[in-house]
Structures are given as C-alpha cells and as structure tokens.
RNA sequence: AGAUCCGUAGCUCAGCCUGGUUAGAGCACUACACUGAUAAUGUAGGGGUCUCCGGUUCAAAUCCGGACGGGUCUACCA
C-alpha cells in the first residue's frame, strides 16, 4: 500500500494494457481467478476451436471478446469458469494449404509423396500460426487455458471420436449408401450439407445455358418406343395445320421436346426427360432460329411467351427466310404432361460411352430415352421439360430409379469427361485447374447442338450456384458411396430440445436454426481425403461383414486376433507395440478378421472435420476412457458463443451429437455474433483489401477501447460496421472522461491525504448530491447486472458510458469541484471523497468484464492506497450488488429536473431576443412554472443547484394557475388536431 | 425465387414491443463560457418529409398492408 494515488501525464491505453498484462503474467491472475473459485458452482463454457492454420482476424476478436466478458462476469458473480482452449487441426483447409505449398494435387498423394510424409507435413503445418494466435489471445485479454488445450489430431481425441462413432453404429445411426451428393472436383471430395451451407458458397455466376431439342422418335433401335397415342395426335395436328411454309409443308417435319439446362456438360449423360403430370404443354410449329429449318417443338404452355414473340403468332410462314427477324409460330396442339409419359426420343449426343448396350451393361434392363413424370417440375424456368441425367442431380436420380432409366456417369472424379464421349473426352467440365487457356466445353457442346439443329436457344444465364467452401470452385452433384449419420431419425427430438436452448438473438434459434432442423437431411460423414479422422470401420471384400472399432484397446485385440487367425505377415508391424497413430496410412495397413474368418480392410473414408469439433464436449476430456467426472461436470455447456456462420456448422454438430449420443442439449445458451463489415458496410475480404488487422488495431488503441467499441457500438448479433474513428471516439469520450475523473480525484485526494481510512459515512448523512450520485450508481449496478444476465452486453456497456459521462463527470464532479479544493478536511469533504471513490471503485468492477485492463489498472490505483480489498485484481473481486436502500427514485427524478431546468434557463439567457444575458452576469430571479405541487416540491429541493448552475439569486415557483404568465394559445389547426383531435 | 432482419441528423446509434409534449444522444460542424480536471471541461446553436405509398385511429417514427433499397440466410431452379 503506497500513500499516494498515482498521477499520470496523459491517458495511454496501450501502455496500460502492457503494464497489466505483465502483472497478470507475474501473478498468474487468470489461473487464480479460476482456482480462487474452487468449490463454487461451475459455469460451463466451451471454446470453439479455431484452426491455427490461418491468421486471426478482427472478427475473431469480437466473438472472443463476447466469450471473455461472459466468463469474467460469471467468475465475478461467484462461479468457477474453467476455459479449456482447443485447436481444430484436421480437414480440407490444411490439406489444400499443404498441396499448394508442395505444388502437388490430390492425385499426387500416394504417388509423388507417400501418405505418411504428406500427413507428417499436415501435422507440421497445422500449428503454423499458433504464435500469432497466442499473441492476439494475450493482447486482446482473452482468458483461456492454452496450457492444456485439446488438439483434435491427438490419439486421445481421435479415440473418443471413434467411441462416438461406434456408439452411433451400435444404435444403427451409421450407415452406408449411394446417393447424389454435392461433390467438389477441385477438392476431390464430397461435401456435407452444412459445408454447402457455409456463407458465400452460393455465388452468382454466368453459365452457358442451352435449350436443347430432343427429337421425338418412333425408332425403338434408337431408344424410342414405337407406339404411343400422343404421336398420332401430334401427326394429325401437323397434317391439319394450314400453315404451309416455303419449300413444302411441315408434315413429316421433325418434332422436338425442348429442355433447358444450365449445365450442358450433363447432356451426354442424359437418360430421360421429365414433365409435370398436370402441366399443360403445347406443340408449336416454327423455325429454328439458328438453322432456320422448319420444326415442331413441345414445351409448357405457360412458357411459350418466353421463347416466341407475340407478334409472330400465326405469322408469315411462307416468306420466312434466314434474314427475317420475326420468326412465325403457331400452336397446333395441346396436351397434359401425363399424355406425354412414355414417349421416346432420339439420343441428343450419342457416343461410344452412352450406347444403349453400355447403359444396360451398367444397369441391366434399363429403359432410357423416354419421357417420365415428376412432381418437382415447374414452369418458372426453362421449358417445363427437364433434361434428366440421373447421375448429376438428386431429383434426376430419384426419378431415374423409379422409371428404370439407368445411370450414366460420363464425368470422372476430377471433373472431366471420361473416355468415349467423342470430341469432349478428357476435357474438364469447368475450369477446375485454373488453366489459362481453358476453353469452356459447355460452349463447344452448345455450338455442336446449334450446328446439328439440336439447339433452340443458347445464352449466358446468370444464376446462383453452389461452390466449394475451400476451393471456391463450382461443385457438381455426383453419385458417391458414402457413410451417413441418420440425423433424421432424431429430428423431432432435436427440434424439441432446441426449443429449450436460450438463443441470442432468439430468432436465430427459432428461425435460422429451427428451419434448418425442420429441413434436415442425413449427415454425410465421408471425406475422400488423407489428413483427418479415419472412419473406424473394417469390411470384408464382399461387403458382407463389417466391424466398427470403438477404442484403441479393441483395435489392438482385433489386430492380434487377426494375426493369429490369418497368420503369415498379417499386421506384423503392429503386433508388439500395438497401434501408435490412428491416422492414415497406418490404420489402412491393418487387416482384421471377420467372425467367419475372412480378412477385413478399413473402408478408405475419413470423416467430416465438423464431427471433430461437434464431439468436443466428450473428446476434450478423452471421455469415456478418462476424466469421467470432469465430463459429467461440464456437460452440457451453460454458454457458448461463435459467429453466426457457425449456426449450421459447430452449433449444429454439437447439437446433433449431443442428441444422438446423450439425448441432451450440448449448450443451454448460445450467442451468435454477426459479421464484421468495413466502415462502408462492405464485407471484409482480402481481395478488396479492406481487412482490418487486429494486431495493428490493438497496438494503436489498446485492447480495452477496441473491445469496448466492438461491444457497445452494436448488439453483437447485428453486423458491425468497423470504423477506427469509432474506437477513437470511445477512447476519448469514455476512457478519457473516466481517466480525467480519476486524475481529478487523485490530484486532490493526494493533497488531502484521503485514503478511505475514515469510517464510512452513512449515505443519508451526506449532502443531497452525494445521495443522488450514489442512488444513480446503485441503479446502474442493477441495470448492468440485468443486462449481463440477459447476455445483452451492449446495453450494459452503454449504461456504464451514460453514467460516466452524463452523471458522474458532467454533473457530479463539475458541481462538486469546489468541495474538493475548498475548506478543511472534514465532514463535507470526506463525504465528497468517499462518494467519488465509491463511484470509481464500483465502475472498475462493472466495466471489468468488457475492459479488463483499464478496470484492473484503475482498481489497483485506487486499492493500492485505500487497501479496501485484499484481492490482487479486480477480476478476483465479487461483482457489486445494488443496495436498494440507497436508491431514491424521486431524488434521481429531481436531479433530472434540475439538469433540464438549468439547461432551459441557459438557453433563455442566450436566446433572449433583446440582449444576450451571459452566465457571468448574475440575475436576480427566475420564475419557474410547475405543473403540480409534486413538481414544485421537487424544484424547490434542487433550487440551490439551479441557482448555482445558472448564476441566479432567487427561484420562484409559479403554480399552474398563476396569472404571471399569460398563456395565449393560438394553435394552428394542424397542431390542434394533432394534440386534441377532432370531435 | 422464398425466408428473415434492417432503413430515424453528414456519420454511429437510441426511441417502436405498450400510438399521445416541440423525435433524442454522441461524433463532426458553428458560436460562446471557464482558466484550480487545462494537450482538459462545460454551454448553446444549426442540422430530420423518421425510405416511399396506402390503411387503421381523434392521433402513426411507433400498429397493419404494399413498394423500393440494403444485409443475411435458404433452395433438388433443371
């Protein structure tokens, strides 16, 4: 305890941060804040693991500020808040980084570099920016235990993941199936629905779209059916048509189904055309705009106007020529979609690879190239006839199976055409490799169709198309074998339990998350990559028998068993020491034995990294192999917080696994914070160069001002327009004012030797203004506590700001200055010191969760002299509790009245029409009209303050019925109506 | 295309749920005061068609409907 309060030259927030940071380090302030609460009720917080593979950004600072302030607040409220940090270490981002660095592609792995070396490299790279993360964590004042973090690639962690998977397997929730899935040729892996739902995956792109013409056919050898009632209807319609175009009649002219596609590369794999059963279709006679040949086309009636100009209807067929702009057309027949069912058509782009024989080789008995019915067809886009390639669309696949169309996959997993697709073979369907001279194969397909009289319209079409969240390349839908978790089995329970979760803001839970749950599909776990958690399932070659491993012990037993049963070289490297690393390639070298004695190999898949983080409540404790107690105490979490982009990421996987495994929520409260935009409301992106560097920001403004700004400027869930000017304002307006208030206090307290050694003077014995500020202070405590409890830190922060500026500095200190410098060191002066001291001391605690450095600094400055607390840090103290006895609402109202009246008088002095009565000029008397006696009383009680503030000698109250003021009411009609209405 | 949030002063935001003084605050701007918080502090002023159009009501920034603009999200759009 020193005798004097430290006085400073000027406020320097960054240096305060440094000073306090050093103190925390020396005194283990964080660790103590946890251990000091040993035996207190726990408040459970889960840290969402960041990936140290990328640099931290300002958006990390906001979500971590949010997490930190809640944890600090709860600690001060008497909870023990353990915060185990963690690192997300698996997954695509890391693999892609390594590929880029090594200059290889996915195909090279296992060829140019062994899987072993590749994974070794991944393991190295994973913690690349750990230093930067540790640095920002410290500098921003984020308290989290990074000494014992969970790391998702460690064996213990993976073992728990295996345990989770085997539990799911036992419950029948883990299954394998072929389905059409989003697939990223660029990344070489399928994607789960929540990966596809990452922000920014859907982008507006311009693609070559084509309306292709499929020629209706009677020739069964080309795939058509020979008999169909609608054919005769069509032909008689054509015959009856009176139209007789140049060069002969249209009878015998070709009849086409028009179908639109934005992905021409799927056309060679076409196996059907789907129409809506109840949609009206028409047969139109016209000319092909490219070849100018007479044609008959079928399309949905509702979409005719999209392709034909109204003026051309029943136009001049006889004089049509290539140079005639207006193409004549005529509707000659009409039918329902179901009448078209079963009609055959000629293949659009025949090649070696898609002959009927080839198709039936793949799917025996398949009957492709016919019109089928589907409910999903609409007439909003296209032609009302949907080109159907079962391999490349979920609906297509379904409708293909139902109608036995077969399945053709003429594109390989790298995204290029397979052999046998004529001139298109081996060409990439999209520019996945960033080839400089890439020629869009879709355009070539469209050109070919044009030349062959098989295209009606080719144009660039802008639409929203999903892209891979890591490579930014367009995905395709592709048939894949994959393992799924049957989340749909517990959908209702997930919906039900979600209703018990406290979502901030609420509508994210009911709306965004709730809707997502309602439309849930099974979780696609499979990833065909190398660096990740292997799926612990071994299968016999015939696929008849399989085994799901749930622990290292079980695996080691199976390894030995297989060696005994199968003999020879089986598992010879794994017999002595057992398994040491649960990653590829080691797990793949292990052969297990089935109950019937057949060898089993591991299925090659890895699992979705989101499973890693979703299983974090269990895996961080290596449950159930260790720490059963720790797990029990820390599940479910009381609180988690991340960016709103995690709604379908971490928030979802946590919830899904908790419900699947434990029929429980994983978290009771979740706060999702919004995006951080630049000051113009633009999304931050490296490309635009508007990314804010959190290091630079914190270095120049200090962590406290940055945190305060992030929290008070907008509610966490609103998107924040980040502007440095805002931080400067916080620095000046709030921290500057509070600092000055302290400086003022220190200056005089040092002179008078005030160290809070005198007994606490009862508030009721202090002057009214002291009672007032203390009443306001206690009201503030209530307000702040309520807001923190409701996870509304923005409101809490603004309330503190308001108190400091409007009440403490601008009114209390200003009005009381004389009390500090005049007179003897006795009752009134001590009252003033005690009051101001209490305000400052309480403010330290109230603001400590948000501005931890400044709060601790101010607390130390005060407490080092007074020694009122034995705590080393403000973060070890208890949060203030409001003293209701001190709160006097009437007094607060009175003072508000005094402020308002003073302001009004000052305004009158200045705006007097005749003369500007400066404050310096004393005035004799002011008349203040009061509405009622209560108001009059209140005014009288604060009359002294008003007199002093306005430099007036007397205050006289005028009652409502006085005749001093002559009220001349000449209301305008509008005002009258507005205020009193019309009878 | 749908869902959802948002639109108030030059800027950042309150107010709206629960309709009723002259629609508020801070920053910025202008003028002034203080000179014992002074590289501080205070006071006053200018500045608003509360996005627009309808409706309900005696009365609408506030409630209802629609349009426009912006953000976010969803989607098997072929």
């Amino acid at each position: 305890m020193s005798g004097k309060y430290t006085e400073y030259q000027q406020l320097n927030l960054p240096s305060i941060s440094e000073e306090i940071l050093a103190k925390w380090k020396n005194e283990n302030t964080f660790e103590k804040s946890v251990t000091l609460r040993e035996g207190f009720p726990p408040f459970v917080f889960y840290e969402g693991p960041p990936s140290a593979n990328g640099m931290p950004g300002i958006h990390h600072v906001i979500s971590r500020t949010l997490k930190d302030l809640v944890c600090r607040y709860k600690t001060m409220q008497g909870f023990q808040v353990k915060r185990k940090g963690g690192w997300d270490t698996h997954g695509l981002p890391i693999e892609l980084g390594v590929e880029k660095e090594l200059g290889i592609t996915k195909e090279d792995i296992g060829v140019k570099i062994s899987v072993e070396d590749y994974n070794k490299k991944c393991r190295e790279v994973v913690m690349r920016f750990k230093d930067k993360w540790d640095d920002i964590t410290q500098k921003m004042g984020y308290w989290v235990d990074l000494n014992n973090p969970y790391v998702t690639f460690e064996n213990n962690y993976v073992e728990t993941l295996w345990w989770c998977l085997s539990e799911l397997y036992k419950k029948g929730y883990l299954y394998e199936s072929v389905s059409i899935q989003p697939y990223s040729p660029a990344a070489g892996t399928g994607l789960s629905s929540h990966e596809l739902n990452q922000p920014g995956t859907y982008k507006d792109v311009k693609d070559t779209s084509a309306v292709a013409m499929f020629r209706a056919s009677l020739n069964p050898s080309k795939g058509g059916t020979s008999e169909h009632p609608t054919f005769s209807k069509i032909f008689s319609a054509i015959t009856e048509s009176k139209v007789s175009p140049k060069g002969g009649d249209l009878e015998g002219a070709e009849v086409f189904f028009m179908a639109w596609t934005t992905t021409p590369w799927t056309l060679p794999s076409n196996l059907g055309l789907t129409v809506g059963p109840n949609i009206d279709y028409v047969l139109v006679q016209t000319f092909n705009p490219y070849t100018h040949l007479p044609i008959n086309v079928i399309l949905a009636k509702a979409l005719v106007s999209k392709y034909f100009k109204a003026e051309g209807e029943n136009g001049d067929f006889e004089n049509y020529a290539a140079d005639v702009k207006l193409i004549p057309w005529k509707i000659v027949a009409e039918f329902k979609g179901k009448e078209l069912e079963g009609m055959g058509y000629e293949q659009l782009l025949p090649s070696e690879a898609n002959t009927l024989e080839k198709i039936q080789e793949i799917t025996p008995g398949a009957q492709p190239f016919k019109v089928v019915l589907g409910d999903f067809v609409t007439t909003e886009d296209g032609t009302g006839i949907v080109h159907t390639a079962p391999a490349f669309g979920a609906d297509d696949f379904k409708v293909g199976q139902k109608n036995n169309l077969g399945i053709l996959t003429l594109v390989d997993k790298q995204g290029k055409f397979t052999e046998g697709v004529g001139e298109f073979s081996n060409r990439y369907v999209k520019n996945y490799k960033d080839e400089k001279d890439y020629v869009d194969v879709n355009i070539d397909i469209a050109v070919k169709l044009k030349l062959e009289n098989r295209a009606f319209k080719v144009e660039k079409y802008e639409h929203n198309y999903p892209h891979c969240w890591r490579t930014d390349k367009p995905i395709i839908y592709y048939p894949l074998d994959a393992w799924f978790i049957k989340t749909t089995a517990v959908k209702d329970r997930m919906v039900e339990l979600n209703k018990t979760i406290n979502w901030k803001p609420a509508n994210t839970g009911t709306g965004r998350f709730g809707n997502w749950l309602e439309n849930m599909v099974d979780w696609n776990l499979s990833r065909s990559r190398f660096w990740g958690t292997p799926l612990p399932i071994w299968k016999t070659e015939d696929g008849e028998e399989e085994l799901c491993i749930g622990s290292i012990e079980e695996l080691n037993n199976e390894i030995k068993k297989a060696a005994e049963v199968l003999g020879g070289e089986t598992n010879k490297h794994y017999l002595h020491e057992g398994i040491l690393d649960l990653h590829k390639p080691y797990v793949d070298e292990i052969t297990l034995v089935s109950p019937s004695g057949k060898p089993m190999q591991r299925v090659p898949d890895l699992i979705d990294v989101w499973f890693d983080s979703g299983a974090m409540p269990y895996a961080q404790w290596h449950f159930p192999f260790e720490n059963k107690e720790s797990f029990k105490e820390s599940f479910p979490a009381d609180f988690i917080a991340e960016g709103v982009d995690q709604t379908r990421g971490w928030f979802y996987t946590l919830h899904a696994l908790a419900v699947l495994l434990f029929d429980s929520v994983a978290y009771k409260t979740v706060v999702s914070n919004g995006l951080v935009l630049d000051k113009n409301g633009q999304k931050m992106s490296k490309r635009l160069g508007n990314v804010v560097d959190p290091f630079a920001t914190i270095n120049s403004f200090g962590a406290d001002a940055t945190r305060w700004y992030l929290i008070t400027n907008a509610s966490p869930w609103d998107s924040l327009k980040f502007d440095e000017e805002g931080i400067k304002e916080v620095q000046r307006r709030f921290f500057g004012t509070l600092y000055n208030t302290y400086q003022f206090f220190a200056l005089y307290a040092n002179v008078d030797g005030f160290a809070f050694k005198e007994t606490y003077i009862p508030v009721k014995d202090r002057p009214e203004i002291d009672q007032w500020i203390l009443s306001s202070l206690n009201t503030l405590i209530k307000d702040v506590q309520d807001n923190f409890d409701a996870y509304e830190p923005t409101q809490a922060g603004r309330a503190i700001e308001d108190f400091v500026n409007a009440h403490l500095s601008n009114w209390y200190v200003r009005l009381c200055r004389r009390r500090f410098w005049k007179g003897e060191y006795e009752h009134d002066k001590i009252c003033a010191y005690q009051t101001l001291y209490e305000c400052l001391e309480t403010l330290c605690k109230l603001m400590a969760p948000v501005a931890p450095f400044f709060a601790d600094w101010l607390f130390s400055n005060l407490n080092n002299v007074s020694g009122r607390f034995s705590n080393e840090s403000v973060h070890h103290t208890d949060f203030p509790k409001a003293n209701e006895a001190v709160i006097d609402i009437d007094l607060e109202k009175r003072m508000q009245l005094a402020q308002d009246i003073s302001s009004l008088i000052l305004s009158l002095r200045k705006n007097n029409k005749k003369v500007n009565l400066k404050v310096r000029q004393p005035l004799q008397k002011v008349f203040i009209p009061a509405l009622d006696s209560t108001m009059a009383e209140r005014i009288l009680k604060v009359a002294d303050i008003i007199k002093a503030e306005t430099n007036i000698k007397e205050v006289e109250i005028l009652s409502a019925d006085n005749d001093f003021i002559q009220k001349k009411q000449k209301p305008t009609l509008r005002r009258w109506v507005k205020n009193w209405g019309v009878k």
Side-chain angles (χ1 to χ4, degrees):
Chain A
M1 230 182 289
S2 65
K4 299 255 178 196
Y5 298 96
T6 316
E7 294 174 52
Y8 296 84
Q9 287 305 306
Q10 60 174 9
L11 175 64
N12 184 340
L13 287 172
S15 81
I16 288 175
S17 290
E18 268 175 47
E19 180 191 323
I20 297 299
L21 207 54
K23 177 190 146 183
W24 287 350
K25 211 172 187 173
N26 283 337
E27 300 178 357
N28 293 318
T29 310
F30 167 46
E31 290 75 11
K32 281 185 198 161
S33 79
V34 179
T35 51
L36 283 170
R37 297 293 182 182
E38 199 61 62
F40 284 73
F43 178 83
V44 181
F45 163 73
Y46 291 162
E47 163 76 342
S51 170
N53 180 48
M55 284 282 277
I58 194 78
H59 54 289
H60 294 112
V61 176
I62 186 172
S63 62
R64 298 175 124 213
T65 299
L66 204 54
K67 297 180 200 179
D68 189 56
L69 76 89
V70 170
C71 291
R72 286 180 191 263
Y73 171 70
K74 290 291 176 181
T75 301
M76 292 177 78
Q77 283 289 7
F79 293 92
Q80 186 180 37
V81 190
K82 292 181 180 166
R83 291 98 125 172
K84 194 177 176 69
W87 297 106
D88 192 19
T89 57
H90 280 147
L92 210 47
I94 290 143
E95 291 206 42
L96 293 174
V98 169
E99 278 184 19
K100 204 173 161 191
E101 199 169 310
L102 298 177
I104 58 171
T105 66
K106 191 194 171 199
E107 284 64 49
D108 297 328
I109 303 163
V111 182
K112 286 189 188 167
I113 179 172
S114 70
V115 173
E116 190 170 8
D117 289 342
Y118 174 80
N119 272 358
K120 210 168 137 193
K121 183 76 188 165
C122 287
R123 191 185 287 247
E124 281 165 25
V125 154
V126 143
M127 291 296 182
R128 171 169 301 173
F129 294 114
K130 184 174 179 294
D131 289 351
K132 291 281 178 194
W133 279 89
D134 286 347
D135 195 31
I136 201 82
T137 301
Q138 287 214 349
K139 283 193 176 139
M140 68 166 289
Y142 181 41
W143 274 359
V144 62
D145 178 7
L146 288 178
N147 295 326
N148 303 294
Y150 61 92
V151 179
T152 59
F153 72 65
E154 285 177 354
N155 260 12
N156 281 349
Y157 198 94
V158 173
E159 188 178 22
T160 297
L161 300 180
W162 281 16
W163 174 81
C164 294
L165 289 164
S166 74
E167 288 297 301
L168 296 173
Y169 188 84
K170 281 180 210 157
K171 293 183 181 196
Y173 290 152
L174 195 57
Y175 69 94
E176 189 182 21
S177 161
V178 180
S179 71
I180 308 300
Q181 295 155 34
Y183 174 82
S184 169
T189 182
L191 300 170
S192 67
S193 50
H194 44 264
E195 281 175 304
L196 209 54
N197 279 306
Q198 293 309 300
T201 47
Y202 280 83
K203 296 183 195 187
D204 282 325
V205 287
K206 274 193 176 166
D207 278 326
T208 304
S209 76
V211 174
M213 308 198 311
F214 294 81
R215 185 172 189 257
S217 170
L218 285 168
N219 186 347
S221 71
K222 286 187 170 176
T225 34
S226 57
E227 286 169 37
H228 197 285
T230 307
F231 273 124
S232 32
K233 190 170 169 182
I234 289 172
F235 287 127
S236 53
I238 294 172
T239 314
E240 280 165 30
S241 159
K242 301 230 166 74
V243 170
S244 98
K246 197 160 77 176
D249 63 48
L250 271 176
E251 190 182 340
E254 298 174 306
V255 176
F256 297 96
F257 296 104
M258 294 202 340
W260 180 59
T261 181
T262 55
T263 51
W265 59 266
T266 59
L267 288 170
S269 304
N270 170 280
L271 294 171
L273 294 171
T274 308
V275 296
N278 296 312
I279 295 173
D280 291 317
Y281 293 88
V282 290
L283 178 68
V284 178
Q285 292 191 324
T286 187
F287 295 92
N288 184 307
Y290 299 115
T291 61
H292 313 290
L293 296 170
I295 52 171
N296 301 279
V297 295
I298 297 170
L299 74 161
K301 192 180 179 186
L303 289 159
V304 168
S305 63
K306 195 169 169 172
Y307 298 97
F308 302 100
K309 286 187 186 150
E311 311 88 71
E313 184 164 16
N314 301 319
D316 186 357
F317 276 74
E318 288 191 34
N319 294 312
Y320 177 74
D323 55 350
V324 175
K325 289 265 165 60
L326 188 66
I327 301 176
W329 58 277
K330 184 184 184 190
I331 293 175
V332 293
E334 188 171 333
F335 4 72
K336 285 280 178 196
K338 47 188 148 199
E339 291 178 69
L340 302 175
E341 185 183 15
M343 290 175 75
Y345 63 89
E346 270 177 27
Q347 220 175 335
L348 189 71
L349 292 165
S351 66
E352 282 169 52
N354 62 9
T355 60
L356 188 59
E357 292 71 41
K358 279 269 161 63
I359 293 162
Q360 290 180 337
E361 212 171 275
I362 299 164
T363 315
Q367 293 293 324
F369 311 128
K370 63 189 179 197
V371 176
V372 297
L373 303 179
D375 289 327
F376 60 90
V377 180
T378 67
T379 54
E380 276 170 22
D381 279 315
T383 62
I385 302 177
V386 176
H387 141 62
T388 302
F392 302 121
D395 280 331
D396 302 47
F397 182 75
K398 239 182 282 168
V399 88
Q401 279 200 319
K402 192 173 158 195
N403 295 287
N404 193 26
L405 296 177
I407 181 163
L408 262 184
T409 313
L410 301 184
V411 173
D412 68 16
K413 287 194 173 180
Q414 278 114 65
K416 58 184 201 296
F417 278 114
T418 54
E419 291 291 339
V421 194
E423 67 263 48
F424 306 122
S425 299
N426 294 313
R427 289 181 60 182
Y428 285 98
V429 302
K430 287 275 161 70
N431 189 9
Y432 292 113
K433 301 285 172 190
D434 281 328
E435 291 169 297
K436 274 195 199 111
D437 43 359
Y438 176 78
V439 179
D440 190 350
V441 72
N442 294 291
I443 294 176
D444 290 350
I445 291 172
V447 168
K448 181 173 168 139
L449 294 177
K450 278 187 190 174
L451 294 174
E452 293 180 349
N453 193 31
R454 288 295 181 273
F456 189 81
K457 194 173 186 181
V458 173
E459 63 181 356
K460 289 281 181 192
Y461 178 78
E462 187 169 345
H463 62 153
N464 221 241
Y465 197 82
H467 289 67
C468 173
W469 65 296
R470 288 319 311 179
T471 61
D472 269 351
K473 295 290 181 198
I475 61 113
I476 62 178
Y477 290 89
Y478 201 86
L480 295 172
D481 262 321
W483 288 82
F484 289 85
I485 294 178
K486 214 180 183 61
T487 44
T488 49
V490 293
K491 174 180 146 183
D492 292 344
R493 190 65 183 143
M494 282 176 73
V495 170
E496 204 179 317
L497 284 169
N498 180 44
K499 289 179 183 153
T500 70
I501 296 171
N502 178 27
W503 280 84
K504 293 299 284 187
N507 61 2
T508 301
T510 51
R512 191 180 288 195
F513 196 65
N515 292 342
W516 168 249
L517 292 181
E518 292 293 342
N519 300 317
M520 175 197 305
V521 293
D522 283 347
W523 181 355
N524 177 6
L525 263 192
S526 294
R527 292 302 108 100
S528 324
R529 297 290 317 194
F530 300 92
W531 176 239
T533 304
L535 191 66
I537 291 175
W538 272 257
K539 265 169 101 168
T540 54
E541 204 179 349
D542 56 14
E544 294 291 310
E545 296 167 88
E546 62 188 37
L547 180 65
C548 181
I549 299 289
S551 70
I552 293 175
E553 189 187 355
E554 187 184 352
L555 180 60
N556 281 331
N557 291 340
E558 293 294 329
I559 286 172
K560 278 181 218 141
K561 193 166 117 193
E564 281 163 26
V565 176
L566 299 172
E569 300 273 279
T570 309
N571 301 336
K572 70 170 181 183
H573 297 301
Y574 298 93
L575 286 175
H576 302 297
E577 71 276 34
I579 182 88
L580 292 174
D581 182 351
L582 300 182
H583 284 96
K584 275 170 166 278
Y586 315 110
V587 282
D588 292 337
E589 290 168 5
I590 292 166
T591 306
L592 301 183
V593 65
S594 75
S596 70
K598 287 185 215 156
M600 300 196 292
Q601 296 300 325
R602 199 184 70 81
V603 302
D605 307 44
L606 300 182
I607 62 167
D608 184 2
V609 269
W610 290 103
F611 192 97
D612 290 12
S613 49
M616 155 273 166
Y618 332 105
Q620 70 170 338
W621 298 114
H622 193 210
F623 178 84
F625 307 102
E626 284 180 80
N627 302 316
K628 283 190 178 171
E629 280 308 306
S630 298
F631 167 67
K632 239 170 115 183
E633 283 165 13
S634 63
F635 183 84
D638 287 300
F639 163 73
I640 60 171
E642 299 291 334
V644 69
D645 52 344
Q646 292 294 335
T647 306
R648 294 186 174 86
W650 196 49
F651 296 161
Y652 174 70
T653 57
L654 274 178
H655 188 58
L657 288 178
V659 175
L660 285 162
L661 294 168
F662 293 94
D663 189 38
S664 163
V665 295
Y667 43 87
K668 294 176 187 164
T669 291
V670 50
V671 179
S672 68
N673 60 270
L675 296 168
V676 183
L677 309 171
D678 77 0
K679 62 179 174 184
N680 300 318
Q682 294 274 316
K683 214 168 173 171
M684 289 188 189
S685 76
K686 279 187 188 148
R687 190 172 54 80
L688 294 171
N690 58 352
V691 180
V692 173
D693 176 8
F695 294 96
T697 306
I698 288 177
N699 283 339
S700 46
F701 304 106
D704 290 314
T706 306
R707 288 169 61 125
W708 196 271
Y709 167 72
L710 290 172
I711 292 302
T712 57
N713 187 63
S715 281
W717 33 89
D718 289 338
S719 52
L720 174 87
K721 288 183 194 166
F722 188 92
D723 188 355
E724 281 192 355
E725 290 304 315
I727 305 183
K728 285 184 193 160
E729 192 180 324
V730 161
Q731 208 176 24
R732 270 203 317 274
R733 183 81 200 146
F734 176 63
F735 289 99
T737 305
L738 191 51
Y739 161 82
N740 271 327
T741 307
Y742 165 75
Q743 278 288 85
F744 174 86
F745 166 81
L747 184 64
Y748 295 108
N750 283 339
V751 171
D752 285 319
F754 172 78
F756 223 125
K757 292 295 173 255
E758 299 78 11
T759 35
Y760 188 83
I761 299 168
V763 175
K764 63 177 187 336
D765 297 338
R766 303 189 196 186
E768 179 151 276
I769 193 153
D770 291 1
Q771 295 184 26
W772 165 74
I773 193 71
L774 290 172
S775 172
S776 301
L777 182 70
N778 280 279
T779 303
L780 175 72
I781 294 172
K782 273 209 297 199
D783 203 14
V784 169
Q785 175 166 347
D786 288 349
N787 281 311
F788 275 144
D789 283 340
Y791 297 92
E792 295 274 1
T794 307
Q795 305 308 325
R798 286 176 180 175
I800 295 170
E801 245 172 33
D802 193 50
F803 176 84
V804 168
N805 288 325
H807 293 156
L808 188 63
S809 169
N810 183 16
W811 201 248
Y812 182 77
V813 172
R814 199 162 54 80
L815 264 50
C816 293
R817 274 148 86 194
R818 260 176 215 86
R819 295 172 65 199
F820 291 91
W821 75 64
K822 274 179 76 178
E824 297 303 308
Y825 186 68
E826 51 199 24
H827 180 78
D828 182 67
K829 207 173 206 183
I830 296 170
C831 283
Y833 279 127
Q834 289 195 346
T835 302
L836 183 53
Y837 185 99
E838 185 175 345
C839 288
L840 290 170
E841 182 186 83
T842 305
L843 280 167
C844 289
K845 299 188 198 169
L846 294 177
M847 70 191 290
V850 183
F853 297 102
F854 185 87
D856 214 11
W857 170 84
L858 186 52
F859 177 80
S860 301
N861 280 341
L862 295 171
N863 204 51
N864 285 346
V865 178
S866 75
R868 280 172 35 97
F869 289 88
S870 56
N871 310 73
E872 283 175 2
S873 163
V874 71
H875 302 290
H876 298 165
T877 63
D878 288 335
F879 204 75
K881 288 195 171 42
N883 181 358
E884 294 282 351
V886 174
I887 296 177
D888 181 344
I889 297 296
D890 192 71
L891 173 58
E892 290 185 37
K893 283 195 177 141
R894 253 184 348 252
M895 197 60 80
Q896 192 58 50
L897 207 54
Q899 294 184 348
D900 293 345
I901 290 170
S902 301
S903 179
L904 213 56
I905 294 171
L906 289 167
S907 172
L908 281 172
R909 271 178 168 278
K910 188 155 297 190
N911 290 340
N912 190 298
K913 275 174 194 153
K914 288 164 199 155
V915 58
N916 184 359
L917 304 167
K918 293 193 170 183
V919 183
R920 201 190 290 218
Q921 177 184 347
L923 296 177
Q924 186 57 38
K925 197 183 220 175
V926 61
F927 296 94
I928 305 173
L931 292 171
D932 51 42
S933 56
T934 322
M935 186 172 167
E937 260 175 62
R938 281 180 176 162
I939 294 171
L940 281 177
K941 280 189 176 170
V942 293
D944 285 344
I945 291 170
I946 295 170
K947 284 190 274 184
E949 190 66 7
T950 57
N951 197 12
I952 293 177
K953 290 185 175 140
E954 273 179 67
V955 167
E956 188 173 325
I957 305 294
L958 297 172
S959 60
D961 55 357
N962 76 84
D963 49 11
F964 186 84
I965 301 176
Q966 300 193 354
K967 283 180 247 176
K968 275 194 256 172
Q969 208 164 32
K970 272 210 298 187
T972 60
L973 183 63
R974 190 174 168 278
R975 266 281 275 300
W976 179 259
V977 168
K978 199 170 177 198
N979 293 340
W980 305 107
V982 180
K983 288 275 158 70

